[in-house]
């Protein structure tokens, strides 16, 4: 079965850190550009970050640049998003997506069920 499974979310105080993981199965993970997107309550999907096949190129939304890093371990079929210096506005459900940045918000894109990040004191 082709699927993506996210984990690593939780409740953290402002300024804290979290490490999100996304494990892929059912397809050749290394062949695909991958992205993270998020959705806060009552808001639409927002692109967060992307990484190219092979990991040579990364990109970030301005809202997270300098605070988040994205990486991949193709041997473990795993996508990672490291979240540092978290702010309350980072609270959202985070999804990994099998897509480059420009397609990551399309409805037809493969995404996981998400992992919840809540930043609160």
């Amino acid at each position: 079965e082709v699927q993506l499974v996210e984990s690593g979310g939780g409740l953290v105080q402002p300024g804290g850190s979290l490490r999100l993981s996304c494990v892929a199965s059912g397809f050749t993970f290394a062949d695909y550009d991958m992205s993270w997107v998020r959705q806060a309550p009552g808001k639409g999907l927002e692109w967060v970050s992307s990484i190219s096949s092979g990991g040579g190129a990364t990109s970030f939304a301005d809202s997270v640049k300098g605070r988040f890093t994205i990486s991949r371990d193709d041997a473990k079929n795993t996508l990672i998003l490291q979240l540092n210096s978290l702010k309350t506005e980072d609270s959202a459900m985070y999804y990994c997506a099998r897509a480059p940045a420009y397609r990551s918000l399309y409805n037809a894109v493969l995404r996981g069920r998400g992992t919840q990040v809540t930043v609160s004191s």
Side-chain angles (χ1 to χ4, degrees):
E1 181 183 1
V2 175
Q3 64 177 353
L4 300 168
V5 179
E6 301 93 338
S7 62
L11 173 63
V12 63
Q13 292 186 342
S17 298
L18 284 172
R19 186 174 186 263
L20 308 185
S21 298
C22 169
V23 177
S25 60
F27 64 97
T28 305
F29 176 73
D31 288 350
Y32 288 85
D33 297 344
M34 297 293 296
S35 297
W36 287 95
V37 300
R38 66 186 182 185
Q39 187 167 26
K43 296 188 176 182
L45 276 174
E46 176 191 16
W47 171 73
V48 175
S49 181
S50 296
I51 187 167
S52 62
S53 167
T58 60
S59 56
F60 299 89
D62 287 344
S63 59
V64 306
K65 199 171 293 182
R67 300 188 296 119
F68 292 8
T69 59
I70 189 170
S71 60
R72 63 192 299 159
D73 184 339
D74 289 344
K76 296 182 179 180
N77 291 341
T78 300
L79 179 70
I80 302 293
L81 187 69
Q82 178 69 41
L83 290 64
N84 298 325
S85 303
L86 281 161
K87 304 176 181 180
T88 55
E89 53 263 43
D90 294 318
S91 296
M93 186 72 80
Y94 283 70
Y95 302 90
C96 65
R98 190 180 69 175
Y102 76 95
R103 288 200 299 113
S104 62
L105 304 183
Y106 290 10
N107 287 337
V109 165
L110 175 68
R111 283 191 283 268
R113 293 181 177 269
T115 185
Q116 179 68 43
V117 171
T118 302
V119 184
S120 175
S121 56

PDB file of all heavy atoms in Angstrom, residues 36-61:
ATOM      1  N   TRP A  36       6.579  19.337   3.191  1.00  0.00           N
ATOM      2  CA  TRP A  36       5.752  19.434   4.392  1.00  0.00           C
ATOM      3  C   TRP A  36       4.775  20.591   4.179  1.00  0.00           C
ATOM      4  O   TRP A  36       5.163  21.669   3.712  1.00  0.00           O
ATOM      5  CB  TRP A  36       6.590  19.711   5.624  1.00  0.00           C
ATOM      6  CG  TRP A  36       7.389  18.541   6.101  1.00  0.00           C
ATOM      7  CD1 TRP A  36       8.687  18.265   5.805  1.00  0.00           C
ATOM      8  CD2 TRP A  36       6.955  17.503   6.979  1.00  0.00           C
ATOM      9  NE1 TRP A  36       9.084  17.104   6.437  1.00  0.00           N
ATOM     10  CE2 TRP A  36       8.041  16.620   7.162  1.00  0.00           C
ATOM     11  CE3 TRP A  36       5.755  17.218   7.637  1.00  0.00           C
ATOM     12  CZ2 TRP A  36       7.958  15.479   7.965  1.00  0.00           C
ATOM     13  CZ3 TRP A  36       5.669  16.091   8.437  1.00  0.00           C
ATOM     14  CH2 TRP A  36       6.756  15.234   8.603  1.00  0.00           C
ATOM     15  N   VAL A  37       3.534  20.353   4.552  1.00  0.00           N
ATOM     16  CA  VAL A  37       2.519  21.400   4.543  1.00  0.00           C
ATOM     17  C   VAL A  37       1.827  21.357   5.902  1.00  0.00           C
ATOM     18  O   VAL A  37       1.961  20.380   6.637  1.00  0.00           O
ATOM     19  CB  VAL A  37       1.496  21.205   3.401  1.00  0.00           C
ATOM     20  CG1 VAL A  37       2.200  21.236   2.049  1.00  0.00           C
ATOM     21  CG2 VAL A  37       0.718  19.899   3.572  1.00  0.00           C
ATOM     22  N   ARG A  38       1.126  22.414   6.246  1.00  0.00           N
ATOM     23  CA  ARG A  38       0.438  22.445   7.538  1.00  0.00           C
ATOM     24  C   ARG A  38      -0.907  23.136   7.406  1.00  0.00           C
ATOM     25  O   ARG A  38      -1.152  23.885   6.457  1.00  0.00           O
ATOM     26  CB  ARG A  38       1.289  23.151   8.599  1.00  0.00           C
ATOM     27  CG  ARG A  38       1.521  24.632   8.349  1.00  0.00           C
ATOM     28  CD  ARG A  38       2.501  25.201   9.381  1.00  0.00           C
ATOM     29  NE  ARG A  38       2.715  26.628   9.189  1.00  0.00           N
ATOM     30  CZ  ARG A  38       3.586  27.350   9.877  1.00  0.00           C
ATOM     31  NH1 ARG A  38       4.353  26.784  10.819  1.00  0.00           N
ATOM     32  NH2 ARG A  38       3.711  28.655   9.644  1.00  0.00           N
ATOM     33  N   GLN A  39      -1.770  22.853   8.361  1.00  0.00           N
ATOM     34  CA  GLN A  39      -3.084  23.467   8.376  1.00  0.00           C
ATOM     35  C   GLN A  39      -3.470  23.797   9.806  1.00  0.00           C
ATOM     36  O   GLN A  39      -3.601  22.899  10.642  1.00  0.00           O
ATOM     37  CB  GLN A  39      -4.126  22.551   7.742  1.00  0.00           C
ATOM     38  CG  GLN A  39      -5.477  23.203   7.587  1.00  0.00           C
ATOM     39  CD  GLN A  39      -6.403  22.405   6.686  1.00  0.00           C
ATOM     40  OE1 GLN A  39      -6.266  21.190   6.553  1.00  0.00           O
ATOM     41  NE2 GLN A  39      -7.332  23.092   6.043  1.00  0.00           N
ATOM     42  N   ALA A  40      -3.639  25.066  10.074  1.00  0.00           N
ATOM     43  CA  ALA A  40      -4.100  25.519  11.383  1.00  0.00           C
ATOM     44  C   ALA A  40      -5.617  25.488  11.419  1.00  0.00           C
ATOM     45  O   ALA A  40      -6.269  25.546  10.369  1.00  0.00           O
ATOM     46  CB  ALA A  40      -3.585  26.935  11.643  1.00  0.00           C
ATOM     47  N   PRO A  41      -6.218  25.398  12.596  1.00  0.00           N
ATOM     48  CA  PRO A  41      -7.681  25.352  12.700  1.00  0.00           C
ATOM     49  C   PRO A  41      -8.332  26.540  11.993  1.00  0.00           C
ATOM     50  O   PRO A  41      -7.925  27.695  12.209  1.00  0.00           O
ATOM     51  CB  PRO A  41      -7.923  25.403  14.197  1.00  0.00           C
ATOM     52  CG  PRO A  41      -6.696  24.828  14.790  1.00  0.00           C
ATOM     53  CD  PRO A  41      -5.570  25.273  13.902  1.00  0.00           C
ATOM     54  N   GLY A  42      -9.288  26.249  11.128  1.00  0.00           N
ATOM     55  CA  GLY A  42     -10.026  27.300  10.443  1.00  0.00           C
ATOM     56  C   GLY A  42      -9.297  27.948   9.282  1.00  0.00           C
ATOM     57  O   GLY A  42      -9.800  28.902   8.692  1.00  0.00           O
ATOM     58  N   LYS A  43      -8.119  27.409   8.942  1.00  0.00           N
ATOM     59  CA  LYS A  43      -7.338  27.986   7.848  1.00  0.00           C
ATOM     60  C   LYS A  43      -7.066  26.941   6.781  1.00  0.00           C
ATOM     61  O   LYS A  43      -7.257  25.747   6.999  1.00  0.00           O
ATOM     62  CB  LYS A  43      -6.027  28.550   8.380  1.00  0.00           C
ATOM     63  CG  LYS A  43      -6.195  29.713   9.360  1.00  0.00           C
ATOM     64  CD  LYS A  43      -4.870  30.348   9.699  1.00  0.00           C
ATOM     65  CE  LYS A  43      -5.057  31.563  10.600  1.00  0.00           C
ATOM     66  NZ  LYS A  43      -3.751  32.227  10.914  1.00  0.00           N
ATOM     67  N   GLY A  44      -6.607  27.386   5.633  1.00  0.00           N
ATOM     68  CA  GLY A  44      -6.292  26.485   4.549  1.00  0.00           C
ATOM     69  C   GLY A  44      -4.906  25.873   4.693  1.00  0.00           C
ATOM     70  O   GLY A  44      -4.142  26.221   5.604  1.00  0.00           O
ATOM     71  N   LEU A  45      -4.584  24.964   3.789  1.00  0.00           N
ATOM     72  CA  LEU A  45      -3.263  24.366   3.774  1.00  0.00           C
ATOM     73  C   LEU A  45      -2.209  25.414   3.452  1.00  0.00           C
ATOM     74  O   LEU A  45      -2.424  26.261   2.585  1.00  0.00           O
ATOM     75  CB  LEU A  45      -3.197  23.249   2.740  1.00  0.00           C
ATOM     76  CG  LEU A  45      -3.692  21.865   3.134  1.00  0.00           C
ATOM     77  CD1 LEU A  45      -3.670  20.941   1.926  1.00  0.00           C
ATOM     78  CD2 LEU A  45      -2.882  21.284   4.264  1.00  0.00           C
ATOM     79  N   GLU A  46      -1.100  25.309   4.138  1.00  0.00           N
ATOM     80  CA  GLU A  46       0.011  26.224   3.931  1.00  0.00           C
ATOM     81  C   GLU A  46       1.270  25.418   3.655  1.00  0.00           C
ATOM     82  O   GLU A  46       1.615  24.514   4.431  1.00  0.00           O
ATOM     83  CB  GLU A  46       0.212  27.093   5.169  1.00  0.00           C
ATOM     84  CG  GLU A  46       1.414  28.011   5.102  1.00  0.00           C
ATOM     85  CD  GLU A  46       1.751  28.674   6.429  1.00  0.00           C
ATOM     86  OE1 GLU A  46       1.268  28.212   7.479  1.00  0.00           O
ATOM     87  OE2 GLU A  46       2.522  29.654   6.427  1.00  0.00           O
ATOM     88  N   TRP A  47       1.970  25.733   2.576  1.00  0.00           N
ATOM     89  CA  TRP A  47       3.238  25.073   2.295  1.00  0.00           C
ATOM     90  C   TRP A  47       4.278  25.526   3.319  1.00  0.00           C
ATOM     91  O   TRP A  47       4.372  26.710   3.661  1.00  0.00           O
ATOM     92  CB  TRP A  47       3.698  25.420   0.887  1.00  0.00           C
ATOM     93  CG  TRP A  47       5.089  24.950   0.603  1.00  0.00           C
ATOM     94  CD1 TRP A  47       5.507  23.662   0.391  1.00  0.00           C
ATOM     95  CD2 TRP A  47       6.254  25.778   0.508  1.00  0.00           C
ATOM     96  NE1 TRP A  47       6.867  23.638   0.174  1.00  0.00           N
ATOM     97  CE2 TRP A  47       7.342  24.917   0.243  1.00  0.00           C
ATOM     98  CE3 TRP A  47       6.483  27.139   0.632  1.00  0.00           C
ATOM     99  CZ2 TRP A  47       8.643  25.397   0.086  1.00  0.00           C
ATOM    100  CZ3 TRP A  47       7.770  27.618   0.467  1.00  0.00           C
ATOM    101  CH2 TRP A  47       8.843  26.745   0.207  1.00  0.00           C
ATOM    102  N   VAL A  48       5.088  24.570   3.794  1.00  0.00           N
ATOM    103  CA  VAL A  48       6.112  24.857   4.797  1.00  0.00           C
ATOM    104  C   VAL A  48       7.525  24.716   4.230  1.00  0.00           C
ATOM    105  O   VAL A  48       8.357  25.616   4.350  1.00  0.00           O
ATOM    106  CB  VAL A  48       5.944  23.923   6.016  1.00  0.00           C
ATOM    107  CG1 VAL A  48       7.081  24.121   7.018  1.00  0.00           C
ATOM    108  CG2 VAL A  48       4.591  24.139   6.685  1.00  0.00           C
ATOM    109  N   SER A  49       7.795  23.552   3.616  1.00  0.00           N
ATOM    110  CA  SER A  49       9.156  23.272   3.174  1.00  0.00           C
ATOM    111  C   SER A  49       9.160  22.133   2.171  1.00  0.00           C
ATOM    112  O   SER A  49       8.245  21.300   2.176  1.00  0.00           O
ATOM    113  CB  SER A  49      10.022  22.892   4.383  1.00  0.00           C
ATOM    114  OG  SER A  49      11.350  22.626   3.997  1.00  0.00           O
ATOM    115  N   SER A  50      10.193  22.097   1.337  1.00  0.00           N
ATOM    116  CA  SER A  50      10.343  21.022   0.363  1.00  0.00           C
ATOM    117  C   SER A  50      11.805  20.624   0.238  1.00  0.00           C
ATOM    118  O   SER A  50      12.704  21.426   0.527  1.00  0.00           O
ATOM    119  CB  SER A  50       9.821  21.452  -1.000  1.00  0.00           C
ATOM    120  OG  SER A  50       8.431  21.710  -0.964  1.00  0.00           O
ATOM    121  N   ILE A  51      12.003  19.397  -0.215  1.00  0.00           N
ATOM    122  CA  ILE A  51      13.348  18.885  -0.465  1.00  0.00           C
ATOM    123  C   ILE A  51      13.310  18.069  -1.752  1.00  0.00           C
ATOM    124  O   ILE A  51      12.354  17.340  -2.010  1.00  0.00           O
ATOM    125  CB  ILE A  51      13.854  18.043   0.724  1.00  0.00           C
ATOM    126  CG1 ILE A  51      15.316  17.655   0.546  1.00  0.00           C
ATOM    127  CG2 ILE A  51      12.974  16.817   0.954  1.00  0.00           C
ATOM    128  CD1 ILE A  51      15.953  17.099   1.825  1.00  0.00           C
ATOM    129  N   SER A  52      14.351  18.224  -2.539  1.00  0.00           N
ATOM    130  CA  SER A  52      14.393  17.550  -3.828  1.00  0.00           C
ATOM    131  C   SER A  52      14.750  16.077  -3.656  1.00  0.00           C
ATOM    132  O   SER A  52      15.308  15.652  -2.634  1.00  0.00           O
ATOM    133  CB  SER A  52      15.420  18.225  -4.723  1.00  0.00           C
ATOM    134  OG  SER A  52      16.715  18.107  -4.141  1.00  0.00           O
ATOM    135  N   SER A  53      14.440  15.336  -4.687  1.00  0.00           N
ATOM    136  CA  SER A  53      14.933  13.959  -4.757  1.00  0.00           C
ATOM    137  C   SER A  53      16.456  13.988  -4.654  1.00  0.00           C
ATOM    138  O   SER A  53      17.098  14.764  -5.362  1.00  0.00           O
ATOM    139  CB  SER A  53      14.494  13.351  -6.089  1.00  0.00           C
ATOM    140  OG  SER A  53      15.176  12.159  -6.343  1.00  0.00           O
ATOM    141  N   GLY A  54      17.021  13.226  -3.757  1.00  0.00           N
ATOM    142  CA  GLY A  54      18.463  13.261  -3.548  1.00  0.00           C
ATOM    143  C   GLY A  54      18.884  14.231  -2.459  1.00  0.00           C
ATOM    144  O   GLY A  54      20.008  14.160  -1.949  1.00  0.00           O
ATOM    145  N   GLY A  55      18.010  15.166  -2.095  1.00  0.00           N
ATOM    146  CA  GLY A  55      18.273  16.076  -0.985  1.00  0.00           C
ATOM    147  C   GLY A  55      19.152  17.265  -1.292  1.00  0.00           C
ATOM    148  O   GLY A  55      19.525  18.027  -0.388  1.00  0.00           O
ATOM    149  N   GLY A  56      19.475  17.473  -2.559  1.00  0.00           N
ATOM    150  CA  GLY A  56      20.404  18.547  -2.894  1.00  0.00           C
ATOM    151  C   GLY A  56      19.832  19.948  -2.835  1.00  0.00           C
ATOM    152  O   GLY A  56      20.584  20.923  -2.794  1.00  0.00           O
ATOM    153  N   ALA A  57      18.537  20.065  -2.849  1.00  0.00           N
ATOM    154  CA  ALA A  57      17.900  21.379  -2.842  1.00  0.00           C
ATOM    155  C   ALA A  57      16.780  21.397  -1.817  1.00  0.00           C
ATOM    156  O   ALA A  57      15.979  20.459  -1.751  1.00  0.00           O
ATOM    157  CB  ALA A  57      17.348  21.708  -4.215  1.00  0.00           C
ATOM    158  N   THR A  58      16.747  22.448  -1.027  1.00  0.00           N
ATOM    159  CA  THR A  58      15.676  22.625  -0.050  1.00  0.00           C
ATOM    160  C   THR A  58      15.104  24.032  -0.182  1.00  0.00           C
ATOM    161  O   THR A  58      15.767  24.949  -0.670  1.00  0.00           O
ATOM    162  CB  THR A  58      16.176  22.420   1.393  1.00  0.00           C
ATOM    163  OG1 THR A  58      17.210  23.365   1.670  1.00  0.00           O
ATOM    164  CG2 THR A  58      16.724  21.009   1.590  1.00  0.00           C
ATOM    165  N   SER A  59      13.876  24.193   0.260  1.00  0.00           N
ATOM    166  CA  SER A  59      13.241  25.501   0.252  1.00  0.00           C
ATOM    167  C   SER A  59      12.285  25.600   1.434  1.00  0.00           C
ATOM    168  O   SER A  59      11.800  24.577   1.931  1.00  0.00           O
ATOM    169  CB  SER A  59      12.504  25.754  -1.064  1.00  0.00           C
ATOM    170  OG  SER A  59      11.566  24.724  -1.313  1.00  0.00           O
ATOM    171  N   PHE A  60      12.067  26.851   1.866  1.00  0.00           N
ATOM    172  CA  PHE A  60      11.272  27.080   3.064  1.00  0.00           C
ATOM    173  C   PHE A  60      10.362  28.289   2.876  1.00  0.00           C
ATOM    174  O   PHE A  60      10.738  29.267   2.221  1.00  0.00           O
ATOM    175  CB  PHE A  60      12.178  27.337   4.274  1.00  0.00           C
ATOM    176  CG  PHE A  60      13.085  26.193   4.606  1.00  0.00           C
ATOM    177  CD1 PHE A  60      14.335  26.094   4.029  1.00  0.00           C
ATOM    178  CD2 PHE A  60      12.671  25.206   5.477  1.00  0.00           C
ATOM    179  CE1 PHE A  60      15.168  25.020   4.309  1.00  0.00           C
ATOM    180  CE2 PHE A  60      13.492  24.127   5.775  1.00  0.00           C
ATOM    181  CZ  PHE A  60      14.740  24.039   5.180  1.00  0.00           C
ATOM    182  N   ALA A  61       9.195  28.220   3.488  1.00  0.00           N
ATOM    183  CA  ALA A  61       8.337  29.395   3.545  1.00  0.00           C
ATOM    184  C   ALA A  61       9.018  30.470   4.380  1.00  0.00           C
ATOM    185  O   ALA A  61       9.765  30.160   5.319  1.00  0.00           O
ATOM    186  CB  ALA A  61       6.991  29.023   4.168  1.00  0.00           C
TER     187      ALA A  61
END
